Amino acid sequence: MTDFPVPGPSTSAGASAAPPPPPAAPSTGSGTQAGSGTQAPSTGSGTQAGSGAQGGSGAEAGDLVRAQEILKVITDSYATKMVGQERLRTSLLVALIAGGHILLESVPGLAKTTAASTLADTVKASFKRIQCTPDLLPGDITGTQIYDASSGTFRTVLGPVHANFVLLDEINRSSAKTQSAMLEAMQERQTTIGGEVHPLPRPFLVIATQNPIEQEGTYELPEAQMDRFLLKEIVEYPSPAEEFEILNRIDSGVLDPDRHVPGAISLDDVHELQEIASRIYVDRAIRNYIVQLAYVTRNPAPYIGAERARFIKYGASPRASIAFLQASRALALLNGRTHVIPEDIRALRHVVLRHRVLLTFEADAEGIRSEEIIDQIFASVPTP
């Protein structure tokens, strides 16, 4: 009996039969470790879908208390400058705790820069903002070597990417070569200048933004590069009440760039959060649920119907499964739990998959959004 139950096709989709089960890698040990990030599901009897988050946990109650103390400082400090945008705050914290990067998409003026700088100020970490333009060169980001005439030697000048928090504003306005240099730094956590390797500081969080309404003079991010972002968040307009509060805070001076947040944590506190999150328990049933969802994005027709499946150009890569695993641990920690539950996976479905489930031009022409397809995929997979 396989530990990977293949999801049955959705009856509303009009499909007649499920595809053959995807191959499951055999377990090489006694089961899946709680702290393992990429181990494949076991082919043994495993944990049944109803077991959810049963079992032991690497993170303990004392860890949760300490984590909540740190998170409260961040949340309270964030709220002093940011009005609303709770979803953005959650996504930023998930990316920070999970050790990934985040892509923000919105029209100008929705406080993306303020959110990034406030988070950096709260952590008392180094923060750099890079405004991307078509003439921006890779060396402008990573750094370069400058000839020192006084000594007759070259000295290395590190670029703005060497910071804990890097806001890459309008990443789609930089050329493909510059995008590649930045994304290489994101992936490898280091830069190479003049043959010398320079590690990036830790924690290292890149917050990239792009504007969906201005496409003139832009270079669209290739799908393979977008896949390297842990999350993609869509930042919405504030409500009228929130916008009214923004005006009040401007008058009060709270949003003055020279005014710092009242509370702060250290980089060691962030490392502690990340370490606690890595020990959040993820049951085998949850891991199977993640793999099933990724499988259906690649083989959608029997589950959501051929009519809707034709809108999917490419399904999610294994990076989506890894992102679900890492981000769900961070979200569980934010919610004060030592284990991941199916609701964590569902809550993350859009931010993890909207830039990984790629739709066809036909879907764009008919006004089909990726979130609609993702919701249908989740509806077709039984929740453990």
Side-chain angles (χ1 to χ4, degrees), residues 7-306:
S10 172
T11 54
S12 62
S16 58
S27 174
T28 56
S30 59
T32 305
Q33 297 286 332
S36 171
T38 57
Q39 185 171 339
S42 167
T43 55
S45 58
T47 307
Q48 294 188 359
S51 65
Q54 299 297 319
S57 169
E60 300 176 352
D63 296 324
L64 289 185
V65 172
R66 174 58 181 155
Q68 292 305 310
E69 290 174 354
I70 299 173
L71 291 170
K72 186 178 187 307
V73 174
I74 298 176
T75 302
D76 292 346
S77 298
Y78 182 90
T80 59
K81 283 198 172 184
M82 293 295 297
V83 179
Q85 300 292 10
E86 295 301 318
R87 199 176 66 191
L88 173 59
R89 175 183 61 83
T90 299
S91 295
L92 288 172
L93 286 175
V94 167
L96 176 63
I97 296 171
H101 307 291
I102 184 169
L103 177 63
L104 306 180
E105 184 175 291
S106 79
V107 298
L110 296 189
K112 299 183 294 294
T113 301
T114 302
S117 60
T118 300
L119 183 61
D121 195 21
T122 300
V123 181
K124 293 305 176 188
S126 55
F127 171 71
K128 297 292 183 181
R129 178 179 179 271
I130 304 172
Q131 179 62 55
C132 295
T133 57
D135 60 348
L136 189 71
L137 298 176
D140 297 331
I141 291 178
T142 60
T144 187
Q145 286 189 316
I146 298 178
Y147 182 72
D148 188 344
S150 62
S151 62
T153 60
F154 286 89
R155 60 184 178 90
T156 299
V157 177
L158 299 179
V161 74
H162 289 267
N164 296 113
F165 294 86
V166 178
L167 177 64
L168 201 60
D169 220 353
E170 295 188 293
I171 185 175
N172 55 335
R173 289 199 177 279
S174 60
S175 65
K177 188 174 183 179
T178 302
Q179 290 177 10
S180 298
M182 184 65 206
L183 292 167
E184 181 182 4
M186 291 165 51
Q187 182 71 19
E188 304 299 332
R189 310 288 173 129
Q190 65 182 31
T191 60
T192 304
I193 305 171
E196 184 179 352
V197 174
H198 299 273
L200 293 173
R202 296 194 181 240
F204 175 58
L205 173 64
V206 172
I207 305 170
T209 72
Q210 62 180 12
N211 182 350
I213 61 174
E214 274 185 52
Q215 297 304 318
E216 185 177 354
T218 62
Y219 302 83
E220 186 175 356
L221 275 175
E223 289 81 356
Q225 293 183 351
M226 290 186 66
D227 196 24
R228 296 182 185 274
F229 285 96
L230 183 77
L231 309 174
K232 179 183 178 182
E233 182 63 88
I234 305 295
V235 185
E236 305 287 353
Y237 283 111
S239 67
E242 291 170 344
E243 196 161 355
F244 187 85
E245 177 61 21
I246 292 172
L247 300 182
N248 289 337
R249 294 196 184 188
I250 289 177
D251 285 342
S252 67
V254 171
L255 300 182
D256 190 335
D258 296 328
R259 187 165 179 173
H260 296 286
V261 295
I265 62 173
S266 67
L267 292 178
D268 289 338
D269 292 327
V270 176
H271 293 146
E272 187 175 359
L273 278 178
Q274 293 176 337
E275 195 276 330
I276 295 173
S278 69
R279 292 187 280 116
I280 294 294
Y281 178 66
V282 183
D283 191 82
R284 183 176 295 165
I286 300 294
R287 294 169 188 261
N288 281 333
Y289 184 46
I290 292 171
V291 176
Q292 290 170 38
L293 291 166
Y295 174 79
V296 173
T297 67
R298 303 163 199 154
N299 304 273
Y303 304 100
I304 65 174

Side-chain angles (χ1 to χ4, degrees), residues 317-334:
S317 76
R319 283 200 184 101
S321 300
I322 296 171
F324 270 125
L325 184 71
Q326 296 173 335
S328 63
R329 281 185 165 130
L331 187 60
L333 185 62
L334 286 174

